[in-house]
């Protein structure tokens, strides 16, 4: 029996991804007896085949670009050759280290890891199916479903793992293909396009909507597209993939471009990055009577992540978008603190940052300029380019800008958008500013150290007040 003889817990979490493992640890800190059922490695998609290994590969990809620039720094390298193999192996070591970290945290916090596949099995019961097929039942006062999501595939572009990859397969590739078509220019498509281009692939991005990273501010999308094109990538937006046929060692694709013209393309590999779907089948949700949304089959929850069935909760990707690890972690904490009678606050869905770790990096929080206008706000928009920031110039990366959308009435930070160096780190200041309901003036008045990239945050705030200094 996986639970070391223990059969009954205060809380059982099904799924050990960022939502599940964080919920388990926090619940244990609050004095609950906790078990977490995980069939694969602890850490889930994010840590094992998502966020963490891609960040490792993107670090390698950025290094390729930096090494190409080394001569300017007086570093002689000779001809730079690239090989995805060692970078891929490094990414596995990074993931393994983080996975062991979660195992350690479980031991430290006395969370029992039940190895196997978990299913709801009647009131307050969870069945765990081990790798050898044996089944054990556990009791719990509360059960959190945190089963995550998996790549979606288009009906005419089935992921075969050989010619057509999802992100799951792309992460294990040791040799960059000669050419690759990336279908979908959301976060996953944009990040893998960056990795494969850096390691020598000819990259074509095909996106159905009118721009890359369609959820970001339009100016940010336009800047990223420009930057990618400069690197030699082909980008087709407003383009719909229609057919994909494997032929010899490659794949023949046809797509309709933005002008409605049919285009043909032959590539060695295809990466399908057209979104993810929740893992809500085969978890026993139907028999438990848990309601799913009509569209997307996500589990319906209230602000405390409670489903319609007492004692059953859902967090993370399986409970709906945005499908982000940090959102899942916060849902887990909000959920278990409520269960333990020590709630802090429900998740603030208006203040969840988006981060894409491509180069240039993209990060944002709050409303885009377009959304703010549509919502009827009277706004002032400020833009500060990295070229006006001394640290960015010294760093050698001035590709991009900071854009702040200010509500004129209360001078609140309606939205902040960063494209450029360390955007994904810098966005946190705007997240905190919004969390503390700071005005744009307050962001500007806070002294940013000189010379740092963070000064551009103050300058972005000043720009939204119509008075930047360094531009
Ligand atoms: P996504 O939904 O963000 O992007 C998919 C894109 O594919 C969309 O822009 C869509 O218009 C396009 N598309 C769909 N069908 C198409 C077709 N037939 N032809 C061309 N384009 C088509 O999904 P994703 O990038 O796969 O990511 C999945 C989820 O994981 C998202 O919620 C994302 O936020 C999350 N994620 C986040 C990060 C990050 O934060 N860095 C990284 C990876 C994934």
């Amino acid at each position: 029996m996986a639970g070391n003889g223990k059969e009954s817990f205060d809380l059982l979490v099904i799924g050990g991804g960022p939502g599940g493992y964080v919920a388990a640890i926090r619940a244990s800190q609050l004095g609950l007896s906790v078990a977490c059922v995980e069939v694969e490695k602890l850490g889930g998609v994010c840590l094992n085949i998502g966020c963490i290994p891609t960040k490792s590969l993107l670090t390698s990809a950025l290094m390729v670009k930096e090494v190409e620039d080394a001569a300017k720094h007086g570093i002689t390298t000779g001809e730079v050759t690239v090989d995805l193999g060692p970078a891929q192996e490094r990414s596995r070591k990074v993931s393994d280290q983080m996975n062991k970290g979660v195992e350690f945290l479980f031991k430290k916090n006395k969370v029992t890891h039940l190895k196997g596949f978990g299913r709801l099995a009647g009131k307050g019961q969870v069945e765990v199916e081990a790798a050898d097929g044996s089944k054990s039942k556990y009791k719990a006062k509360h059960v959190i479903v945190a089963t995550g999501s998996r790549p979606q595939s288009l009906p005419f572009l089935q992921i075969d793992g050989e010619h057509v990859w999802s992100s799951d397969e792309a992460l294990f590739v040791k040799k960059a293909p000669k050419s690759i078509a990336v279908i979908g220019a959301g976060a996953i498509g944009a990040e893998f396009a960056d990795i494969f281009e850096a390691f020598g692939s000819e990259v074509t991005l095909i996106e159905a909507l009118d721009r890359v990273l369609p959820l970001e501010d339009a100016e940010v999308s336009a800047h990223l597209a420009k930057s990618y094109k400069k690197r030699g990538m082909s980008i087709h937006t407003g383009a719909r993939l229609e057919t994909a046929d494997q032929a010899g060692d490659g794949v023949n694709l046809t797509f309709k471009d933005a002008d409605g013209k049919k285009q043909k393309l032959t590539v060695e590999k295809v990466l399908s990055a057209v979104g993810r779907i929740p893992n809500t089948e085969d978890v026993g949700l139907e028999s438990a009577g848990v309601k799913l949304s009509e569209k997307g089959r996500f589990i319906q929850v209230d602000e405390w992540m409670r489903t319609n069935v007492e004692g059953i909760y859902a967090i993370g990707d399986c409970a709906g978008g945005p499908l982000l690890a940090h959102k899942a972690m916060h849902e887990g904490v909000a959920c278990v603190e409520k269960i333990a009678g020590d709630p802090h606050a429900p998740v603030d869905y208006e203040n969840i940052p988006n981060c894409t770790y491509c180069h240039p990096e993209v990060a944002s929080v709050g409303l885009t300029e377009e959304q703010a206008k549509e919502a009827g706000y009277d706004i002032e928009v400020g833009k500060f380019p990295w070229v006006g920031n001394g640290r960015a110039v010294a760093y050698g990366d001035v590709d991009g800008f900071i854009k702040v959308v200010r509500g004129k009435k209360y001078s609140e930070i309606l939205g902040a958008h960063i494209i450029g160096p360390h955007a994904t780190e810098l966005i946190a200041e705007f997240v905190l500013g919004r969390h503390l309901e700071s005005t744009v003036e307050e962001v500007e008045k806070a002294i940013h150290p000189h010379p740092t990239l963070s000064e551009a945050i103050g300058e972005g705030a000043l720009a939204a007040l119509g008075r930047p200094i360094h531009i």
Side-chain angles (χ1 to χ4, degrees), residues 126-317:
V126 170
E127 176 192 89
V128 178
E129 184 177 342
D132 62 7
S134 62
K135 291 177 180 169
S136 317
K137 267 197 182 162
Y138 297 88
K139 285 193 189 127
K141 287 185 204 130
H142 308 274
V143 179
I144 297 180
V145 181
T147 47
S149 65
R150 63 184 185 276
Q152 181 174 338
S153 65
L154 295 168
F156 52 88
L157 185 68
Q158 287 301 317
I159 293 152
D160 62 12
E162 198 184 333
H163 299 95
V164 181
W165 301 329
S166 71
S167 54
D168 290 1
E169 288 81 21
L171 272 169
F172 291 87
V173 171
K174 289 201 186 308
K175 191 170 172 286
K178 219 173 138 353
S179 58
I180 184 164
V182 177
I183 316 301
I188 294 183
E191 290 185 358
F192 275 103
D194 184 300
I195 294 165
F196 284 116
E197 190 281 332
F199 280 93
S201 302
E202 209 172 281
V203 174
T204 305
L205 259 171
I206 298 176
E207 166 57 51
L209 296 177
D210 63 352
R211 54 201 171 85
V212 300
L213 295 184
L215 299 180
E216 296 293 348
D217 188 273
E219 281 190 275
V220 169
S221 297
H223 193 94
L224 183 67
K226 198 170 101 192
S227 194
Y228 269 15
K229 280 181 190 161
K230 222 161 130 190
R231 285 170 62 174
M233 294 187 214
S234 299
I235 299 182
H236 300 273
T237 52
R240 272 201 178 269
L241 186 70
E242 291 191 326
T243 62
D245 298 301
Q246 197 223 314
D249 284 341
V251 187
N252 294 328
L253 303 174
T254 60
F255 63 93
K256 219 177 230 164
D257 68 16
D259 301 324
K261 277 197 214 118
K262 210 174 192 144
Q263 297 235 24
K264 285 184 182 170
L265 176 72
T266 299
V267 286
E268 190 183 328
K269 304 287 179 192
V270 179
L271 172 66
S272 172
V274 295
R276 299 181 65 87
I277 48 171
N279 293 325
T280 46
E281 309 89 356
D282 198 23
V283 194
L285 292 165
E286 279 86 351
S287 54
V290 175
K291 269 195 195 151
L292 301 183
S293 61
E294 273 168 36
K295 193 167 174 260
R297 293 186 55 79
F298 293 102
I299 301 170
Q300 284 187 19
V301 287
D302 69 5
E303 60 177 351
W304 295 112
M305 316 315 296
R306 294 178 290 213
T307 69
N308 61 308
V309 178
E310 207 194 329
I312 303 180
Y313 312 77
I315 59 170
D317 287 8

Side-chain angles (χ1 to χ4, degrees), residues 340-367:
D342 186 17
H344 66 329
V347 173
D348 179 4
Y349 291 95
E350 306 298 312
N351 204 22
I352 298 177
N354 296 304
C355 292
T356 308
Y357 300 77
C358 51
H359 188 74
E361 284 191 6
V362 173
S364 65
V365 64
L367 302 178

